[in-house]
Amino acid sequence: MLKKLNPIETDVIICGAGISGLLMAKSLTNIGLKVVCIEKYKIQKDNTRETDLRSTALLDPAISFFKEIGIWEKFEKFAQPLNSLVICNLDPKTEEINSSCEFFAEELGINVLGYNLPNKVIIEELQKLMKSSRNFFYLEGDYVEHITPRSFDVVIKTKEKKQITSKLIIAADGRHSNVRELLNIKKFKYDYNQQAFVFNIKHKINHDSKSYEIYKSEGPCTLVPLNTSKFNGHFSSVVLMLKDTKKNDKNFLNKKNLSHFITKRTGHILGECTVTSEIRNFPIITQASSSLISERLILLAETAHVLPPIGAQGLNTSIHDIKNLFYLIEKKLKNNEEIGDNVFLKEYDNSRKLKITSRMLSVHILNKLAMSKNPTISNIRKYGLSFLNGNKISKKNVMKFGMFQ
């Protein structure tokens, strides 16, 4: 016998309680909206979060949004400032850096490019913030099974027999989105046959609050400084992108071998490196939903787009989704207009679709250039960086695009 449905009424339903889902929820509860958030996995059983070694460089526009919605002070003590980004090319023969270009925050008239934060810290602090919100209702260990859009609202039914009515559904349940599949929204996926190896290192030379992207065939190696003032030494997080075939290579599963490898792979730019954490790896893909909208529904963040981890574009692109959607909802409420109707959905789609597409294409091209073993491409990387270093206008334009300005 089926359990009786327990009807719930709310303003917005958010599917997914990751960083994007919770950040969206926080922004909406700030302006008085009631939010129901549905998360498929139970927090205490989600071991992925406990072992998540990834960190995110939140760029200046993202930090501004955190401040705008009143949450930055919760994160500031954990954050490592990023004063500059140094992009380097590694000579494939000598394994030495043969060209570089450093992008300074002051070139854009800002104090820092952004701050680096561990993903685990971001999610845990957002969870704490939402627990204290009266307008936030959290359903964990549950997911949507049926969606019924109507003229003025939408009704969902969950696996645990909950029935919820709202004006709008925001699908933020990630790259393997249950909601997207349920609505038969197609996705485009491109597999680079790459793996990203994620780990932390201790290094001899002070990072001086600089982030590095060191390019060589197979993909970039990114070093992002960690806030390690309480510890003895200098530390950074690493995202090393390599061919998929390397995922079972003993050099990348053994800390001692990997320490030696990463010291050479980074051109000794931070001196001798020692791996200090476990080593995780995940496949590199580009993925895009065929649509950002459906009836009474918006696809947000990685539900809509997945980018390779280059130039801190992934989560920062998602935060721009969140910010644009928040501003649109805020505007509609001030004008006493409908949220979730076709006019609203098209307005969001028009504000984001082209921007997301252009950013995904740019990151895709950059990754393909980074992967290439063609000597001509290596020279293009080398001389391209030298050109940017000597051309202030081109350099500033590149920085503005990377910083979402």
Side-chain angles (χ1 to χ4, degrees), residues 347-360:
E347 195 169 338
Y348 175 78
D349 189 59
N350 290 337
S351 73
R352 291 302 293 152
K353 194 166 189 177
L354 285 177
K355 290 181 180 179
I356 290 169
T357 301
S358 65
R359 196 157 296 273
M360 292 187 76

Side-chain angles (χ1 to χ4, degrees), residues 337-350:
E337 294 175 352
E338 181 74 22
I339 65 167
D341 63 4
N342 286 337
V343 173
F344 172 90
L345 295 171
K346 286 177 182 177
E347 195 169 338
Y348 175 78
D349 189 59
N350 290 337

